[in-house]
């Protein structure tokens, strides 16, 4: 397994080459070729490592070099290779490869072409450092690294004020979560004396329940920010200001998936605390439902898909909160594939329509873009959870698991399934069918994208169709990393603590066999209800936006308060502006007045006035005549003698 070092450092080498020589390359595509080669080599090495670990189910820890030493504790840069990290690494590298290929066509002609691919390569390197870490320090390095890379990529077109503001917003909001994350790391080190995962897991029996809960909650605070869960979700929709391949990379394979992966990676810590699991469940469930309502009324094609990301991440966290960690990771895997497909499909549409974003101004572009339309339809069906597409195999088990465990969670996730199917097919019908609302000039230039953009769409669409039938394999593959009974590296005492934490949900065992599950969902009452809900969402969108049987404006007028709530994104942005922007501004004015004007200026100006006043008094007694000074001395002497006798 010595070759595993290639996985993170191949994109890093590409980043260095492009960063140093990108603008000196004789031809524009060379930077893209170097970047694609870097991530493709990483993907090939990942697949080879995936096959190796699938055969053995092993746990490999490759120490690359020593990094830091704190007293007697040595922090190393390492590669932890087990089923969980192998799966996540393959997701990151394989999906990123096709995003990179797509980007070579999407960014053609951009004057900062080399800089773009340098940033992309850096982004993947940082995500891989996070994924492959065996300790919390390396994890934090990658965690902050993807935050930096996302800032650079979201604000790539920095001359646009909206892009610069979005980049700054993402950076600032993530600092809130990262501050909590860092506190969790420090508390873990203070408690366990180590930051290595395995040592922390096996020292859990030595720590108290309250401390374990505090560590888990602080770490999850970081996940809320990085994975854009409520209430730290506001940065992700605005991150659409970056180029579309960046949106695909952030939403599908890298940054926002980091929080879900971190919770799964540290599963023993979270599972040991029921409070932590309940918090993960609550945040995930509320995010899944609320984000779906926000997506209902958006008109920006990329923002609609962005809100679907927020919602689907909520499903993943809800699964982990229910104790269904394998289901959460499988949904992360399937979501990475079909969400990359949807974002790249939207990018193909934007290129054809000269970056027109408003779906209300599109219509009937499907005939001119058959590949984009067909692949986008496959991604939409997967997101809606329609068989045989992969979303059906990954999302529906989470909803079924919730039915067995928590009825409130089930109702919200079930309702979210209807909303998801509705808003993604609202987008599909408005963009590709419905009424032609394009202006004449744009209509004349609508065309299918070139092969370097359509081939990645076809490959991702094929994976979206086939991946679900390997559900049984993935469930068994993840067992050594996420099933407490199968985690050989855990002590028996740690296994007992973890299993007790999962006891409220461990009785739910969703059939891992994909084909059996397919039949179960189509024949059982619950399966029919969930599938019927998704189909109802699609049919409702078809009636309103394709057949025009119902006027959506009238629906909005009928439910205006609810429409305004959803359209204004539940007023989260307004609240944050009132508190942290306007409120901070008003507080600053008060502090400026009290601190600067009253205290500082008062002391400085007051001392000057006292000096002037005193100077005026003493100036008047400076007569310039000897007789006057003798008189003053005589008066002073008399006063001194009088006071001496009085005090005595």
């Amino acid at each position: 397994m010595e070759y595993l070092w290639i996985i993170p450092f191949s994109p890093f080498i590409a980043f260095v080459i492009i960063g140093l020589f990108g603008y000196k390359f004789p031809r524009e595509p060379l930077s893209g070729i170097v970047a694609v080669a870097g991530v493709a080599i990483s993907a090939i090495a990942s697949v080879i490592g995936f096959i190796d670990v699938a055969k053995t189910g092993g746990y490999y820890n490759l120490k690359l070099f020593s990094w830091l030493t704190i007293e007697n504790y040595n922090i190393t840069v390492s590669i932890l290779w087990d089923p969980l990290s192998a799966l996540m690494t393959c997701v990151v590298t394989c999906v990123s490869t096709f995003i990179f290929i797509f980007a070579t066509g999407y960014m053609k002609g951009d004057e900062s072409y080399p800089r773009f691919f340098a940033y992309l390569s850096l982004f993947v390197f940082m995500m891989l450092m996070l994924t492959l870490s065996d300790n919390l320090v390396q994890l934090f390095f990658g965690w902050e690294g993807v935050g930096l890379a996302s800032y650079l990529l979201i604000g790539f077109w920095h001359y646009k004020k909206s892009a610069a503001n979005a980049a700054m917003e993402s950076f600032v909001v993530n600092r809130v979560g990262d501050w909590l994350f860092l506190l969790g790391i420090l508390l873990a080190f203070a408690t366990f004396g180590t930051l290595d995962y395995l040592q922390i897991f096996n020292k859990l029996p030595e720590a108290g329940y309250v401390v374990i809960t505090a560590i888990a909650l602080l770490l999850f605070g970081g996940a809320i920010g990085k994975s854009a869960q409520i209430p730290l979700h506001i940065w992700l929709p605005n991150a659409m200001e970056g180029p579309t391949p960046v949106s695909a990379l952030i939403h599908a394979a890298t940054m926002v998936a980091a929080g879900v992966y971190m919770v799964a990676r540290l599963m023993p810590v979270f599972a040991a605390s029921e409070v932590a699991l309940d918090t993960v469940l609550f945040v995930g469930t509320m995010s899944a439902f609320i984000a779906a309502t926000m997506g209902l009324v958006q008109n920006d094609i990329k923002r609609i898909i962005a809100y679907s990301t927020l919602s689907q991440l909520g499903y993943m966290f809800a699964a982990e909160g229910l104790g269904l960690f394998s289901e959460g990771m499988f949904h992360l895997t399937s979501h990475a594939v079909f969400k990359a497909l949807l974002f790249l499909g939207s990018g193909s549409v934007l290129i054809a329509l000269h970056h027109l974003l408003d779906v209300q101004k599109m219509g009937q572009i499907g005939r001119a873009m058959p590949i984009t339309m067909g692949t986008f339809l496959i991604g939409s069906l997967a997101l809606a959870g329609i068989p045989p597409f992969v979303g059906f195999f990954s999302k529906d088990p989470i909803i079924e698991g919730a039915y067995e465990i928590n009825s409130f969670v089930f109702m919200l996730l079930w309702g979210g399934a209807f909303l998801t199917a509705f808003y993604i097919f609202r987008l599909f019908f408005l963009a590709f069918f419905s009424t032609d609302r394009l202006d004449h000039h744009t209509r004349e230039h609508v065309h299918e994208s070139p092969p370097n953009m359509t081939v990645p769409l076809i490959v991702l669409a094929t994976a979206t169709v086939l991946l679900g039938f390997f559900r049984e394999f993935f469930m068994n593959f993840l067992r050594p990393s996420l099933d407490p009974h199968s985690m050989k590296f855990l002590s028996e005492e740690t296994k007992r603590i973890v299993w007790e934490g999962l006891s409220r949900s461990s009785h739910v065992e969703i059939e891992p066999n994909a084909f059996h599950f397919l039949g179960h969902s189509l024949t059982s009452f619950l399966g029919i209800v969930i599938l019927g809900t998704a189909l109802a969402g699609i049919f409702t969108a078809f009636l309103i936006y394709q057949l025009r049987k119902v006027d959506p404006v009238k629906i909005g007028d009928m439910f205006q308060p609810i429409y305004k709530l959803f359209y204004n994104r539940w007023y989260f942005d307004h609240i944050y502006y009132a508190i942290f922007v306007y409120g901070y501004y008003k507080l600053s004015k008060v502090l400026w007045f009290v601190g600067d004007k009253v205290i500082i200026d008062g002391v400085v100006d007051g001392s000057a006035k006292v000096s002037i006043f005193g100077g005026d008094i003493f100036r008047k007694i400076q007569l310039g005549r000897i007789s006057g000074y003798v008189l003053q001395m005589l008066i002073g002497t008399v006063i001194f003698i009088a006071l001496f006798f009085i005090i005595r």
Side-chain angles (χ1 to χ4, degrees):
M1 306 296 285
E2 298 296 326
Y3 63 87
L4 291 175
W5 69 269
I6 296 173
I7 297 174
F9 288 103
S10 180
F12 180 74
I13 293 171
F15 160 70
V16 173
I17 292 173
I18 299 170
L20 294 177
F21 308 108
Y23 285 97
K24 298 180 181 179
F25 289 158
R27 294 169 58 245
E28 178 190 75
L30 200 51
S31 296
I33 292 172
V34 172
V36 171
V39 73
I41 291 171
S42 181
I44 293 170
S46 300
V47 172
I48 294 173
F50 183 93
I51 295 172
D52 285 343
V53 81
K55 291 178 180 178
T56 62
Y59 180 96
Y60 303 95
N61 197 339
L62 180 63
K63 303 289 185 181
L64 297 180
F65 55 86
S66 178
W67 186 10
L68 296 171
T69 299
I70 303 175
E71 295 182 350
N72 296 324
Y73 176 59
N74 185 37
I75 300 172
T76 60
V77 174
S78 306
I79 292 179
L80 172 59
W81 195 254
D82 70 335
L84 179 59
S85 62
L87 174 62
M88 189 66 190
T89 301
C90 283
V91 170
V92 172
T93 57
C94 293
V95 174
S96 295
T97 298
F98 294 107
I99 294 174
F100 277 45
I101 295 172
F102 182 92
T104 60
Y106 188 90
M107 298 299 294
K108 183 179 180 180
D110 193 287
E111 61 181 11
S112 298
Y113 189 91
R115 178 166 63 91
F116 179 78
F117 281 99
Y119 289 169
L120 279 190
S121 299
L122 176 65
F123 204 159
V124 174
F125 164 70
M126 288 298 184
M127 186 65 190
L128 290 173
M129 290 296 287
L130 182 158
T131 302
L132 296 171
S133 65
D134 73 340
N135 63 82
L136 289 173
V137 175
Q138 185 178 330
L139 174 70
F140 188 68
F141 170 76
W143 193 270
E144 292 300 296
V146 294
L148 170 63
S150 69
Y151 169 78
L152 296 173
L153 286 166
I154 294 168
F156 179 75
W157 289 318
H158 52 81
Y159 48 82
K160 294 170 53 181
K161 184 174 177 60
S162 58
N165 289 343
M168 183 59 68
E169 181 183 39
S170 71
F171 195 81
V172 171
V173 173
N174 271 279
R175 296 290 71 73
V176 177
D178 293 352
W179 177 70
L180 297 174
F181 193 73
L182 181 58
L183 288 179
I185 293 175
L186 294 175
L187 181 57
F189 185 72
T191 303
F192 303 110
T194 180
L195 294 172
D196 289 4
Y197 299 154
L198 185 57
Q199 295 180 35
I200 289 175
F201 296 162
N202 287 317
K203 288 186 176 183
L204 285 176
E206 302 174 10
Y209 180 84
V210 174
V211 175
I212 294 174
T213 300
I215 293 171
L217 291 178
L218 288 170
L219 293 175
F220 183 61
I224 292 174
K226 197 66 66 181
S227 293
Q229 295 293 279
I230 289 172
L232 299 180
H233 65 288
I234 59 172
W235 67 269
L236 192 57
N238 295 331
M240 298 303 96
E241 291 292 338
T244 301
V246 174
S247 304
L249 198 62
I250 291 176
H251 286 249
T254 54
M255 186 168 172
V256 297
V260 179
Y261 174 76
M262 183 274 294
V263 173
R265 179 80 279 173
L266 302 179
M267 184 272 287
V269 177
F270 284 87
S273 169
E274 186 174 338
V275 173
L277 282 180
D278 285 340
T279 303
V280 174
L281 175 61
F282 174 77
V283 172
T285 302
M286 298 308 297
S287 298
F289 181 77
I290 292 176
T293 64
M294 295 176 182
L296 287 176
V297 294
Q298 298 297 312
N299 292 321
D300 185 313
I301 185 172
K302 291 173 64 176
R303 287 178 183 265
I304 295 172
I305 304 174
Y307 280 112
S308 80
T309 299
L310 298 183
S311 183
Q312 296 309 303
L313 288 167
Y315 278 90
M316 299 172 206
F317 280 117
E320 293 178 328
L322 291 168
L324 307 174
F325 286 90
S326 295
E327 281 72 14
M329 281 303 301
F330 184 62
H331 191 46
L332 182 153
T333 303
S334 73
H335 176 265
V337 175
F338 66 71
K339 186 51 60 69
L341 174 61
L342 288 172
F343 264 114
L344 297 187
S346 70
S348 181
V349 170
L350 295 182
I351 290 295
L353 303 183
H354 305 293
H355 294 277
L356 174 66
L357 291 167
D358 192 344
V359 294
Q360 297 284 3
K361 298 179 181 179
M362 299 179 188
Q364 294 190 8
I365 64 174
R367 292 182 180 178
M369 308 182 69
I371 297 177
T372 299
M373 181 193 68
T375 54
F376 198 95
L377 174 60
I378 290 173
S380 300
L381 290 168
L383 177 60
I386 305 300
F389 305 101
V390 66
F392 170 78
F393 297 100
S394 63
K395 186 174 70 174
D396 281 24
I398 297 173
I399 301 175
E400 290 198 26
Y403 177 79
E404 298 291 338
I405 301 170
N406 189 309
S407 58
F408 173 73
V409 171
F410 167 75
M411 293 299 294
L412 290 183
L413 297 184
W414 179 36
F418 173 84
L419 300 177
T420 300
F422 176 82
Y423 66 66
I424 194 60
F425 275 90
R426 170 181 176 266
L427 184 163
F428 181 77
F429 291 130
L430 285 174
F432 293 98
F433 291 98
S434 189
T435 305
D436 186 358
R437 295 174 297 277
L438 293 173
D439 61 79
H440 179 70
H441 174 73
T442 305
R443 167 58 60 190
E444 284 185 337
H445 292 83
V446 175
H447 60 280
E448 187 58 271
S449 299
N452 57 348
M453 296 174 67
T454 55
V455 169
L457 296 179
I458 294 171
V459 173
L460 291 170
T462 303
T464 300
V465 175
L466 299 177
L467 192 61
F469 295 104
F470 293 90
R471 174 179 162 78
E472 177 184 8
F473 167 78
F474 282 108
M475 292 296 103
N476 291 326
F477 178 79
L478 287 172
R479 188 162 287 127
S481 294
L482 295 176
D483 179 1
H485 290 315
S486 302
M487 299 170 74
K488 298 178 181 179
F489 49 83
L490 294 184
S491 67
E492 292 302 318
E493 184 64 16
T494 300
K495 287 182 180 180
R496 182 188 64 79
I497 292 174
V498 172
W499 192 252
E500 287 179 356
L502 292 172
S503 61
R504 66 187 178 88
S505 57
S506 61
H507 65 280
V508 177
E509 295 185 6
I510 301 172
E511 175 56 54
N513 186 298
F515 296 99
H516 181 82
F517 177 73
L518 176 62
H520 168 69
S521 285
L522 294 180
T523 56
S524 70
F525 175 74
L526 180 58
I528 293 173
V529 167
I530 296 173
L531 178 59
T533 301
L535 292 173
I538 297 173
F539 184 68
T540 304
F542 180 73
L543 285 177
I544 297 175
Y545 296 101
Q546 182 61 33
L547 297 183
R548 297 286 178 176
K549 297 293 185 182
V550 181
D551 186 356
V553 176
K554 291 183 178 179
I555 297 176
D557 291 338
M558 288 175 59
F559 302 98
Q560 194 170 46
I562 297 176
Y563 175 83
K564 284 186 175 181
L565 178 66
F566 295 168
Y567 184 78
N568 289 291
R569 302 181 291 275
W570 289 62
Y571 295 99
F572 278 101
D573 296 78
H574 298 76
I575 294 170
Y576 290 160
Y577 180 85
I579 296 174
F580 299 110
V581 179
Y582 184 73
Y584 180 77
Y585 172 74
K586 297 297 289 185
L587 177 62
S588 299
K589 289 194 68 174
V590 171
L591 293 177
W592 166 79
F593 180 79
V594 174
D596 277 24
K597 299 295 291 182
V598 176
I599 298 177
I600 296 176
D601 289 353
V603 171
V604 174
D605 293 348
S607 62
K609 291 178 180 179
V610 169
S611 299
I612 293 172
F613 178 75
D616 287 341
I617 293 176
F618 287 107
R619 179 175 58 82
K620 293 177 179 179
I621 64 175
Q622 301 300 316
L623 303 176
R625 294 193 298 272
I626 295 177
S627 58
Y629 296 146
V630 171
L631 179 61
Q632 292 174 9
M633 293 174 62
L634 180 62
I635 294 172
T637 302
V638 172
I639 293 173
F640 175 79
I641 294 172
L643 290 174
F644 176 80
F645 284 105
I646 292 172
I647 295 173
R648 186 178 179 186

